[in-house]
Amino acid sequence: MEFKLKAISPEGIESALAKAELYRFLNEPEEAESICQDVLAVEPGHQLALRTLGLALTDQFTGDPSDPYSAAVDAFQQLTDAYERSYYTGLLYERRAKAQLEAGRPPHTITVLLEQAMHAYEQAERMRPTGNDDAILRWNRCARLLHSKLDSEWHREVGIEMGE
């Protein structure tokens, strides 16, 4: 038996993407990723498929070097709207930082990722649509995470490394 991928119909794209969102909500990002790949095979550059694919990939981050980081970067860099490209790049860095935090990575690596996320959110904030404060909300979350960690275990770890 041959296991060749089958193409979905162009008329089925909207329904397929709704299913991809559902799978993300059900914490089944691999299924969402697969659906997005099917959509992109029929309509390369489909913006909602690229955005959903990038998010499904970041949903899979565990802090491991094998995380699909490069594929998520690629998906978000193909977004044509500058605001969305900046905003979702910020989410990419933020989610990578949080995954690495959960995996016990050193604080300095997480700090750098959160700062990259905040920089991307600042770019998005400058070009955001009127009334859209999503980038500000994400920036504030990163700032609070940095403050909470600097006031706790990260501060102690840095102190230990410095011989205090």
Side-chain angles (χ1 to χ4, degrees):
M1 179 178 220
E2 190 175 332
F3 297 109
K4 186 176 179 181
L5 296 175
K6 297 180 179 187
I8 64 171
S9 66
E11 298 80 21
I13 288 176
E14 187 176 325
S15 175
L17 289 172
K19 286 177 179 58
E21 281 295 313
L22 178 62
Y23 281 122
R24 283 196 62 235
F25 293 141
L26 294 172
N27 199 27
E28 295 183 13
E30 294 89 355
E31 284 73 11
E33 176 189 355
S34 179
I35 291 169
C36 290
Q37 290 171 344
D38 289 337
V39 169
L40 291 166
V42 171
E43 193 175 318
H46 191 285
Q47 295 297 285
L48 180 55
L50 287 167
R51 187 172 65 233
T52 305
L53 173 61
L55 291 171
L57 291 165
T58 65
D59 290 341
Q60 298 174 53
F61 287 178
T62 62
D64 191 76
S66 66
D67 282 348
Y69 174 74
S70 295
V73 168
D74 183 55
F76 290 142
Q77 288 305 307
Q78 291 181 62
L79 295 174
T80 56
D81 181 80
Y83 165 79
E84 284 198 355
R85 195 170 43 253
S86 293
Y87 178 76
Y88 288 104
T89 297
L91 274 177
L92 168 87
Y93 288 127
E94 181 182 351
R95 289 180 171 191
R96 189 173 191 198
K98 288 176 179 178
Q100 290 189 4
L101 178 62
E102 286 292 317
R105 299 288 183 264
H108 69 277
T109 61
I110 295 155
T111 300
V112 168
L113 288 169
L114 288 172
E115 289 171 348
Q116 289 174 313
M118 294 169 83
H119 176 71
Y121 291 142
E122 285 178 333
Q123 287 180 322
E125 179 187 353
R126 286 192 291 274
M127 58 186 112
R128 75 187 191 269
T130 303
N132 182 336
D133 292 334
D134 292 352
I136 295 169
L137 297 170
R138 298 297 342 148
W139 193 96
N140 287 346
R141 174 62 184 125
C142 290
R144 286 185 179 102
L145 182 58
L146 283 168
H147 285 291
S148 73
K149 295 302 177 186
L150 291 174
D151 292 340
S152 64
E153 68 261 15
W154 286 359
H155 178 72
R156 285 192 297 277
E157 184 175 320
V158 170
I160 290 169
E161 290 174 359
M162 296 174 67
E164 294 181 339

